[in-house]
Amino acid sequence: MHLPTFLRPCLTRTKLALACALMMAGPVLQAHAGPASADSAPEVLDDPSSPARLPELGDTASQELSPAAERRLGDRIMRSIWPDPSVVDDPLVLEYLTQIWQTLLNGARKLGEITPEMDGLYAWEPFLVEDRTVNAFALPGGYIGVHFGLISMTSSPDELASVLAHELSHVTQRHIARTIGAQSRQSWVSLASLILGIMAASRNPTAAQAVIMGGQAASMQGQLNFSRDMEREADRVGFGVLTTAGFAPAGMAQMFEHLQMASRLNDDGSYPYLRTHPLTTERIGDARARLGPQAWNATGIPGDPQRPLLAWHILMAARSRVLMDPRSAYISTLTTPTIPPKADALQAIALYYTAAVALTRLHEPGHALENLEAAHAWVTKLPAGQAAVVNRILSLSKMEVDLLGRSSQQAEADWSQINHEGPQDMIRRPELLLAGRLAMSMTGPEQLTAMRQAASNLQTFLIDHPHDASAWGLQSELWQHLDEPIRAVRAEAEATAAKGDLPGAIDRIMGAHKRFNRPSAADVIELSAMDARMKAWQKQQREDMREDAGR
């Protein structure tokens, strides 16, 4: 069994089984029950009036979701997904993933693959899923989910970018809209339930076993798989986006080969990406052929081995290796690095960094600092550009450890080192979030100034990133410490809405009106802003209810 790219955050047999149960419990797409071949286009019912009739590449635009409808569908699905504990906001890994993603978006814009209508309408937002399986998936409206397991197994930014470019091309070529079909847009509950069920099953696999191989999900996947032509088109367009964005052209072919070899050596269900994107010799050959006459001589890590982006990738892959599995028994296996005799500087740093992150997760700050110091000792052997990237990441991670160990003075010293280049560093998200946490951990007369500065910087950041739940949550804590209760409630409501809980956000604002029934002149302005936000959320709720009533 396999499901389409946009419906598969975490696919193992047990996870898929619970998804089947959820699909049978809610409104589902009625589909033909026959199995679908990975190399053939999905079958459709013969009755053209059936709501499950799904358009193929040659069908008319009237059978597709409009871009606006696709974005609304994506938003509704994401409002169900954001609260799930499998969706993890690790500022360092998310910053790196966003950098790769934004570079690809710029390449797609340059090629004209992202139209002006899509560019302004779609979310184009990546998010991280705590799962060790090798997977990535595109959702309607430009949301992209990436498993830590995928990042951890890639050896270069070009390999990771090739997967993201393929997923991006499924979005830009409207494959999702064509596959779902206009009649299916009202089944968002089923789609969201399926995704949430897959995530939940990873935490309760026993419940999933009772309904394994459920018929409704089996028939649904036969309707919703991307066709062979769609996969070829995503490969072709994705390759153009990859190279235009400046990544090594060999990245896609090497990723295909890497996936194929790894899955053959360890065929234990860890590669759900291959079940939804089956690798054939034809696809691998096409990827190589696009490289030209020297294609078959392209070996090793693609791209400049001294580029800073490679060092960034190696450390984020190491960090993802720890974050992909929360079990302490697994994390403990990563705490003792063994440095091979012929290891280069980046390899040694990555091994020590993996141990440091693992020990931080196990709340052993002393041993984590020892490994960070060991990693620092190798930095002098790196080219200058890579050394700057690695020093920043190690310093930020050291500050995390200091805060974990409640050593605010040392954290302040680390912050001074991180921020020595000037205020431009403050716009970077990991620094902003750490600065806020540092300010609240400080003691003494400087704390008030530090908290106000952190709150001011966050407020500036949130103007351009109004849906950042973590930033809003931190802002709420800062306002509480600064004795600004109305501002704290406003930030808490925004954080709640950003996590998908519109009723909870509305309740917080209504509660603020009851609590602050005699506001000052300044508070009246803040309450007015809160009222405007509440009206927007209430409008969204009414639109959702109208859509649900029309299902």
Side-chain angles (χ1 to χ4, degrees):
M1 292 177 63
H2 54 279
L3 295 173
T5 294
F6 54 88
L7 295 178
R8 48 174 180 69
C10 322
L11 290 179
T12 64
R13 288 185 177 88
T14 54
K15 294 173 185 177
L16 182 56
L18 183 54
C20 298
L22 287 169
M23 287 304 300
M24 288 185 283
V28 296
L29 302 176
Q30 299 300 318
H32 182 59
S37 168
D39 286 335
S40 62
E43 298 177 275
V44 296
L45 291 177
D46 294 332
D47 179 6
S49 65
S50 168
R53 182 173 175 82
L54 302 176
E56 307 214 13
L57 284 171
D59 288 353
T60 63
S62 64
Q63 290 177 291
E64 300 173 8
L65 287 174
S66 70
E70 185 182 344
R71 174 61 191 272
R72 287 197 302 272
L73 174 61
D75 287 347
R76 295 211 67 180
I77 293 173
M78 288 308 302
R79 284 201 292 275
S80 296
I81 291 175
W82 285 130
D84 192 275
S86 295
V87 177
V88 175
D89 179 5
D90 181 80
L92 283 174
V93 180
L94 187 58
E95 179 193 39
Y96 172 67
L97 176 64
T98 301
Q99 175 66 33
I100 298 292
W101 180 243
Q102 288 296 328
T103 304
L104 291 170
L105 289 177
N106 290 335
R109 293 182 183 110
K110 189 178 297 185
L111 285 174
E113 297 297 344
I114 296 180
T115 66
E117 179 189 21
M118 293 174 68
D119 203 7
L121 187 60
Y122 281 22
W124 306 123
E125 183 172 354
F127 60 95
L128 292 163
V129 179
E130 183 187 75
D131 198 291
R132 64 186 301 154
T133 59
V134 177
N135 213 353
F137 56 97
L139 291 171
Y143 293 100
I144 304 293
V146 180
H147 289 200
F148 283 118
L150 172 67
I151 300 172
S152 72
M153 67 85 64
T154 52
S155 59
S156 73
D158 314 278
E159 291 184 357
L160 176 61
S162 72
V163 175
L164 298 181
H166 181 99
E167 296 302 311
L168 172 61
S169 298
H170 276 310
V171 178
T172 62
Q173 304 310 302
R174 308 295 322 283
H175 292 168
I176 295 174
R178 292 170 178 176
T179 304
I180 295 176
Q183 294 88 351
S184 302
R185 64 181 179 269
Q186 295 167 349
S187 295
W188 76 270
V189 176
S190 298
L191 306 186
S193 295
L194 178 60
I195 297 168
L196 288 168
I198 292 168
M199 290 179 172
S202 65
R203 298 184 295 277
N204 186 16
T206 303
Q209 291 289 354
V211 289
I212 197 162
M213 298 300 290
Q216 287 285 3
S219 61
M220 181 181 176
Q221 68 88 30
Q223 286 291 334
L224 296 183
N225 287 332
F226 286 133
S227 71
R228 178 177 58 183
D229 287 342
M230 286 179 176
E231 290 296 342
R232 285 175 173 170
E233 187 174 38
D235 283 348
R236 176 182 57 78
V237 175
F239 180 82
V241 170
L242 183 75
T243 54
T244 302
F247 293 99
M252 182 171 287
Q254 292 195 330
M255 185 63 188
F256 284 172
E257 292 160 2
H258 193 173
L259 281 169
Q260 187 182 54
M261 181 174 293
S263 63
R264 284 177 176 174
L265 293 175
N266 186 23
D267 187 15
D268 62 351
S270 297
Y271 297 85
Y273 193 78
L274 297 183
R275 293 201 293 275
T276 51
H277 295 272
L279 283 176
T280 62
T281 54
E282 179 186 18
R283 285 187 72 197
I284 296 174
D286 286 346
R288 278 292 179 192
R290 292 187 182 100
L291 300 178
Q294 301 300 316
W296 301 102
N297 295 324
T299 59
I301 295 176
D304 180 4
Q306 294 191 351
R307 56 187 166 153
L309 189 63
L310 178 61
W312 197 1
H313 178 87
I314 295 298
L315 289 193
M316 291 305 97
R319 189 176 181 92
S320 297
R321 196 165 297 117
V322 179
L323 301 180
M324 70 184 185
D325 192 331
R327 297 174 300 169
S328 59
Y330 164 75
I331 296 174
S332 297
T333 65
L334 305 174
T335 58
T336 307
T338 301
I339 312 301
K342 295 184 179 181
D344 61 30
L346 265 182
Q347 288 175 320
I349 290 169
L351 289 169
Y352 282 122
Y353 184 64
T354 300
V357 177
L359 289 161
T360 303
R361 297 272 284 184
L362 294 174
H363 296 273
E364 297 185 28
H367 291 131
L369 290 174
E370 291 174 5
N371 280 275
L372 288 174
E373 291 171 2
H376 266 295
W378 287 79
V379 174
T380 56
K381 299 181 180 181
L382 294 174
Q386 290 187 346
V389 168
V390 171
N391 270 325
R392 173 184 174 246
I393 293 170
L394 294 181
S395 296
L396 286 168
S397 299
K398 187 173 185 294
M399 188 173 167
E400 286 181 328
V401 176
D402 292 334
L403 291 172
L404 175 67
R406 301 183 183 278
S407 178
S408 59
Q409 289 185 339
Q410 185 58 52
E412 288 180 60
D414 293 337
W415 174 249
S416 298
Q417 180 180 351
I418 294 169
N419 203 37
H420 73 280
E421 293 183 353
Q424 67 270 20
D425 278 350
M426 289 297 294
I427 65 173
R428 303 184 76 164
R429 185 172 182 267
E431 280 85 347
L432 281 171
L433 298 181
L434 276 173
R437 289 173 54 196
L438 171 62
M440 288 186 291
S441 74
M442 293 170 62
T443 57
E446 295 181 354
Q447 183 186 31
L448 186 63
T449 300
M451 287 194 297
R452 289 202 174 278
Q453 183 63 57
S456 176
N457 290 333
L458 272 173
Q459 198 67 36
T460 301
F461 173 82
L462 285 165
I463 292 173
D464 295 325
H465 305 85
H467 305 298
D468 192 321
S470 296
W472 278 117
L474 179 60
Q475 185 76 311
S476 178
E477 292 184 58
L478 285 166
W479 288 134
Q480 289 173 11
H481 279 75
L482 290 167
D483 196 25
E484 297 272 8
I486 293 183
R487 286 185 168 185
V489 172
R490 158 79 189 280
E492 183 185 11
E494 293 282 3
T496 303
K499 291 176 182 176
D501 183 6
L502 297 186
I506 293 168
D507 286 346
R508 282 162 174 76
I509 292 180
M510 294 178 69
H513 278 286
K514 295 177 181 178
R515 178 181 172 189
F516 307 107
N517 52 14
R518 293 184 179 180
S520 64
D523 291 341
V524 167
I525 297 175
E526 193 69 25
L527 286 169
S528 297
M530 292 166 65
D531 282 343
R533 295 295 291 141
M534 181 174 66
K535 289 177 182 177
W537 296 329
Q538 289 172 330
K539 180 182 177 182
Q540 183 63 66
Q541 279 192 310
R542 290 193 297 269
E543 291 175 356
D544 291 349
M545 291 174 66
R546 281 196 297 269
E547 287 185 4
D548 290 345
R551 282 195 288 118

mmCIF file of all heavy atoms in Angstrom, residues 226-254:
data_model
loop_
_atom_site.group_PDB
_atom_site.id
_atom_site.type_symbol
_atom_site.label_atom_id
_atom_site.label_comp_id
_atom_site.label_asym_id
_atom_site.label_seq_id
_atom_site.Cartn_x
_atom_site.Cartn_y
_atom_site.Cartn_z
ATOM 1 N N PHE A 226 0.164 9.635 -7.541
ATOM 2 C CA PHE A 226 0.595 10.404 -8.684
ATOM 3 C C PHE A 226 0.876 9.445 -9.838
ATOM 4 O O PHE A 226 1.443 8.367 -9.652
ATOM 5 C CB PHE A 226 1.864 11.193 -8.357
ATOM 6 C CG PHE A 226 1.623 12.376 -7.462
ATOM 7 C CD1 PHE A 226 2.437 12.603 -6.369
ATOM 8 C CD2 PHE A 226 0.594 13.264 -7.712
ATOM 9 C CE1 PHE A 226 2.228 13.686 -5.551
ATOM 10 C CE2 PHE A 226 0.375 14.355 -6.895
ATOM 11 C CZ PHE A 226 1.203 14.563 -5.805
ATOM 12 N N SER A 227 0.516 9.840 -11.034
ATOM 13 C CA SER A 227 0.716 8.983 -12.189
ATOM 14 C C SER A 227 2.186 8.961 -12.585
ATOM 15 O O SER A 227 2.993 9.795 -12.156
ATOM 16 C CB SER A 227 -0.129 9.482 -13.359
ATOM 17 O OG SER A 227 0.413 10.694 -13.865
ATOM 18 N N ARG A 228 2.523 8.004 -13.435
ATOM 19 C CA ARG A 228 3.886 7.895 -13.924
ATOM 20 C C ARG A 228 4.298 9.173 -14.654
ATOM 21 O O ARG A 228 5.426 9.663 -14.481
ATOM 22 C CB ARG A 228 3.996 6.685 -14.853
ATOM 23 C CG ARG A 228 5.391 6.496 -15.459
ATOM 24 C CD ARG A 228 5.440 5.239 -16.295
ATOM 25 N NE ARG A 228 4.440 5.263 -17.359
ATOM 26 C CZ ARG A 228 4.236 4.258 -18.198
ATOM 27 N NH1 ARG A 228 4.934 3.133 -18.058
ATOM 28 N NH2 ARG A 228 3.330 4.350 -19.148
ATOM 29 N N ASP A 229 3.385 9.748 -15.434
ATOM 30 C CA ASP A 229 3.703 10.984 -16.155
ATOM 31 C C ASP A 229 3.953 12.139 -15.188
ATOM 32 O O ASP A 229 4.812 12.995 -15.436
ATOM 33 C CB ASP A 229 2.567 11.342 -17.108
ATOM 34 C CG ASP A 229 2.511 10.436 -18.324
ATOM 35 O OD1 ASP A 229 3.541 9.767 -18.593
ATOM 36 O OD2 ASP A 229 1.453 10.376 -18.979
ATOM 37 N N MET A 230 3.179 12.185 -14.108
ATOM 38 C CA MET A 230 3.400 13.236 -13.116
ATOM 39 C C MET A 230 4.776 13.104 -12.469
ATOM 40 O O MET A 230 5.462 14.100 -12.232
ATOM 41 C CB MET A 230 2.305 13.184 -12.049
ATOM 42 C CG MET A 230 0.955 13.695 -12.516
ATOM 43 S SD MET A 230 -0.287 13.569 -11.189
ATOM 44 C CE MET A 230 -1.695 14.342 -11.978
ATOM 45 N N GLU A 231 5.182 11.875 -12.170
ATOM 46 C CA GLU A 231 6.491 11.666 -11.561
ATOM 47 C C GLU A 231 7.605 12.082 -12.524
ATOM 48 O O GLU A 231 8.594 12.707 -12.115
ATOM 49 C CB GLU A 231 6.665 10.197 -11.159
ATOM 50 C CG GLU A 231 5.801 9.771 -9.977
ATOM 51 C CD GLU A 231 6.168 10.509 -8.696
ATOM 52 O OE1 GLU A 231 7.269 11.078 -8.607
ATOM 53 O OE2 GLU A 231 5.340 10.511 -7.772
ATOM 54 N N ARG A 232 7.464 11.731 -13.782
ATOM 55 C CA ARG A 232 8.470 12.132 -14.765
ATOM 56 C C ARG A 232 8.532 13.655 -14.889
ATOM 57 O O ARG A 232 9.610 14.249 -14.991
ATOM 58 C CB ARG A 232 8.120 11.525 -16.130
ATOM 59 C CG ARG A 232 8.410 10.040 -16.250
ATOM 60 C CD ARG A 232 7.902 9.539 -17.589
ATOM 61 N NE ARG A 232 8.278 8.161 -17.852
ATOM 62 C CZ ARG A 232 7.804 7.446 -18.844
ATOM 63 N NH1 ARG A 232 6.912 7.976 -19.674
ATOM 64 N NH2 ARG A 232 8.199 6.194 -19.033
ATOM 65 N N GLU A 233 7.345 14.274 -14.889
ATOM 66 C CA GLU A 233 7.310 15.730 -15.009
ATOM 67 C C GLU A 233 7.952 16.385 -13.794
ATOM 68 O O GLU A 233 8.701 17.367 -13.922
ATOM 69 C CB GLU A 233 5.863 16.210 -15.167
ATOM 70 C CG GLU A 233 5.749 17.697 -15.463
ATOM 71 C CD GLU A 233 4.319 18.115 -15.766
ATOM 72 O OE1 GLU A 233 3.386 17.583 -15.124
ATOM 73 O OE2 GLU A 233 4.147 18.965 -16.654
ATOM 74 N N ALA A 234 7.700 15.859 -12.603
ATOM 75 C CA ALA A 234 8.304 16.416 -11.393
ATOM 76 C C ALA A 234 9.821 16.228 -11.406
ATOM 77 O O ALA A 234 10.561 17.093 -10.924
ATOM 78 C CB ALA A 234 7.698 15.766 -10.155
ATOM 79 N N ASP A 235 10.295 15.106 -11.930
ATOM 80 C CA ASP A 235 11.741 14.906 -12.069
ATOM 81 C C ASP A 235 12.337 15.942 -13.023
ATOM 82 O O ASP A 235 13.359 16.572 -12.721
ATOM 83 C CB ASP A 235 12.042 13.506 -12.615
ATOM 84 C CG ASP A 235 11.910 12.416 -11.571
ATOM 85 O OD1 ASP A 235 11.810 12.743 -10.372
ATOM 86 O OD2 ASP A 235 11.896 11.225 -11.949
ATOM 87 N N ARG A 236 11.694 16.100 -14.181
ATOM 88 C CA ARG A 236 12.239 17.010 -15.191
ATOM 89 C C ARG A 236 12.219 18.460 -14.720
ATOM 90 O O ARG A 236 13.237 19.165 -14.772
ATOM 91 C CB ARG A 236 11.429 16.878 -16.490
ATOM 92 C CG ARG A 236 11.840 17.848 -17.586
ATOM 93 C CD ARG A 236 10.970 17.704 -18.820
ATOM 94 N NE ARG A 236 9.555 17.894 -18.547
ATOM 95 C CZ ARG A 236 8.981 19.099 -18.385
ATOM 96 N NH1 ARG A 236 9.710 20.200 -18.454
ATOM 97 N NH2 ARG A 236 7.691 19.187 -18.139
ATOM 98 N N VAL A 237 11.057 18.912 -14.224
ATOM 99 C CA VAL A 237 10.947 20.296 -13.761
ATOM 100 C C VAL A 237 11.811 20.505 -12.520
ATOM 101 O O VAL A 237 12.482 21.531 -12.373
ATOM 102 C CB VAL A 237 9.475 20.650 -13.471
ATOM 103 C CG1 VAL A 237 9.362 22.044 -12.862
ATOM 104 C CG2 VAL A 237 8.652 20.566 -14.753
ATOM 105 N N GLY A 238 11.819 19.519 -11.625
ATOM 106 C CA GLY A 238 12.630 19.630 -10.416
ATOM 107 C C GLY A 238 14.104 19.763 -10.715
ATOM 108 O O GLY A 238 14.827 20.511 -10.040
ATOM 109 N N PHE A 239 14.587 19.046 -11.741
ATOM 110 C CA PHE A 239 15.999 19.160 -12.118
ATOM 111 C C PHE A 239 16.311 20.574 -12.588
ATOM 112 O O PHE A 239 17.357 21.141 -12.232
ATOM 113 C CB PHE A 239 16.328 18.153 -13.227
ATOM 114 C CG PHE A 239 17.761 18.199 -13.680
ATOM 115 C CD1 PHE A 239 18.750 17.541 -12.962
ATOM 116 C CD2 PHE A 239 18.123 18.905 -14.822
ATOM 117 C CE1 PHE A 239 20.078 17.589 -13.373
ATOM 118 C CE2 PHE A 239 19.448 18.962 -15.234
ATOM 119 C CZ PHE A 239 20.422 18.290 -14.510
ATOM 120 N N GLY A 240 15.418 21.164 -13.377
ATOM 121 C CA GLY A 240 15.632 22.532 -13.815
ATOM 122 C C GLY A 240 15.658 23.515 -12.655
ATOM 123 O O GLY A 240 16.490 24.431 -12.612
ATOM 124 N N VAL A 241 14.754 23.326 -11.695
ATOM 125 C CA VAL A 241 14.724 24.189 -10.509
ATOM 126 C C VAL A 241 16.003 24.008 -9.695
ATOM 127 O O VAL A 241 16.610 24.982 -9.223
ATOM 128 C CB VAL A 241 13.479 23.864 -9.655
ATOM 129 C CG1 VAL A 241 13.559 24.563 -8.300
ATOM 130 C CG2 VAL A 241 12.206 24.265 -10.384
ATOM 131 N N LEU A 242 16.423 22.757 -9.525
ATOM 132 C CA LEU A 242 17.630 22.446 -8.739
ATOM 133 C C LEU A 242 18.849 23.160 -9.299
ATOM 134 O O LEU A 242 19.603 23.813 -8.553
ATOM 135 C CB LEU A 242 17.848 20.932 -8.744
ATOM 136 C CG LEU A 242 19.018 20.389 -7.927
ATOM 137 C CD1 LEU A 242 18.693 20.414 -6.454
ATOM 138 C CD2 LEU A 242 19.367 18.960 -8.379
ATOM 139 N N THR A 243 19.064 23.046 -10.597
ATOM 140 C CA THR A 243 20.260 23.634 -11.202
ATOM 141 C C THR A 243 20.166 25.150 -11.299
ATOM 142 O O THR A 243 21.155 25.850 -11.084
ATOM 143 C CB THR A 243 20.496 23.027 -12.594
ATOM 144 O OG1 THR A 243 19.312 23.172 -13.394
ATOM 145 C CG2 THR A 243 20.820 21.546 -12.485
ATOM 146 N N THR A 244 18.977 25.667 -11.599
ATOM 147 C CA THR A 244 18.815 27.119 -11.663
ATOM 148 C C THR A 244 19.045 27.754 -10.301
ATOM 149 O O THR A 244 19.552 28.884 -10.205
ATOM 150 C CB THR A 244 17.401 27.477 -12.178
ATOM 151 O OG1 THR A 244 17.205 26.882 -13.453
ATOM 152 C CG2 THR A 244 17.224 28.984 -12.297
ATOM 153 N N ALA A 245 18.704 27.032 -9.233
ATOM 154 C CA ALA A 245 18.902 27.546 -7.872
ATOM 155 C C ALA A 245 20.362 27.489 -7.440
ATOM 156 O O ALA A 245 20.700 28.001 -6.367
ATOM 157 C CB ALA A 245 18.040 26.758 -6.897
ATOM 158 N N GLY A 246 21.219 26.865 -8.250
ATOM 159 C CA GLY A 246 22.649 26.860 -7.943
ATOM 160 C C GLY A 246 23.164 25.607 -7.272
ATOM 161 O O GLY A 246 24.325 25.564 -6.854
ATOM 162 N N PHE A 247 22.337 24.573 -7.174
ATOM 163 C CA PHE A 247 22.796 23.318 -6.589
ATOM 164 C C PHE A 247 23.475 22.465 -7.651
ATOM 165 O O PHE A 247 23.250 22.638 -8.850
ATOM 166 C CB PHE A 247 21.621 22.568 -5.954
ATOM 167 C CG PHE A 247 21.039 23.261 -4.765
ATOM 168 C CD1 PHE A 247 19.888 24.043 -4.891
ATOM 169 C CD2 PHE A 247 21.642 23.166 -3.524
ATOM 170 C CE1 PHE A 247 19.351 24.703 -3.796
ATOM 171 C CE2 PHE A 247 21.114 23.836 -2.424
ATOM 172 C CZ PHE A 247 19.970 24.598 -2.561
ATOM 173 N N ALA A 248 24.301 21.539 -7.202
ATOM 174 C CA ALA A 248 25.041 20.692 -8.128
ATOM 175 C C ALA A 248 24.087 19.829 -8.940
ATOM 176 O O ALA A 248 23.222 19.157 -8.367
ATOM 177 C CB ALA A 248 26.029 19.821 -7.362
ATOM 178 N N PRO A 249 24.214 19.794 -10.262
ATOM 179 C CA PRO A 249 23.302 18.999 -11.096
ATOM 180 C C PRO A 249 23.317 17.518 -10.741
ATOM 181 O O PRO A 249 22.310 16.834 -10.928
ATOM 182 C CB PRO A 249 23.837 19.233 -12.513
ATOM 183 C CG PRO A 249 24.569 20.528 -12.447
ATOM 184 C CD PRO A 249 25.159 20.581 -11.073
ATOM 185 N N ALA A 250 24.441 17.011 -10.236
ATOM 186 C CA ALA A 250 24.528 15.578 -9.909
ATOM 187 C C ALA A 250 23.724 15.210 -8.674
ATOM 188 O O ALA A 250 23.565 14.026 -8.369
ATOM 189 C CB ALA A 250 25.987 15.175 -9.706
ATOM 190 N N GLY A 251 23.197 16.210 -7.951
ATOM 191 C CA GLY A 251 22.511 15.937 -6.691
ATOM 192 C C GLY A 251 21.325 15.006 -6.832
ATOM 193 O O GLY A 251 21.121 14.122 -5.993
ATOM 194 N N MET A 252 20.529 15.178 -7.905
ATOM 195 C CA MET A 252 19.332 14.360 -8.043
ATOM 196 C C MET A 252 19.691 12.914 -8.350
ATOM 197 O O MET A 252 19.153 11.986 -7.729
ATOM 198 C CB MET A 252 18.419 14.925 -9.130
ATOM 199 C CG MET A 252 17.117 14.146 -9.305
ATOM 200 S SD MET A 252 15.913 14.971 -10.404
ATOM 201 C CE MET A 252 15.347 16.311 -9.353
ATOM 202 N N ALA A 253 20.593 12.686 -9.301
ATOM 203 C CA ALA A 253 20.992 11.317 -9.637
ATOM 204 C C ALA A 253 21.622 10.626 -8.443
ATOM 205 O O ALA A 253 21.345 9.450 -8.165
ATOM 206 C CB ALA A 253 21.958 11.337 -10.817
ATOM 207 N N GLN A 254 22.466 11.350 -7.710
ATOM 208 C CA GLN A 254 23.127 10.735 -6.563
ATOM 209 C C GLN A 254 22.143 10.450 -5.439
ATOM 210 O O GLN A 254 22.294 9.458 -4.723
ATOM 211 C CB GLN A 254 24.276 11.625 -6.092
ATOM 212 C CG GLN A 254 25.415 11.669 -7.103
ATOM 213 C CD GLN A 254 26.689 12.235 -6.539
ATOM 214 O OE1 GLN A 254 26.658 13.074 -5.645
ATOM 215 N NE2 GLN A 254 27.813 11.790 -7.051
#
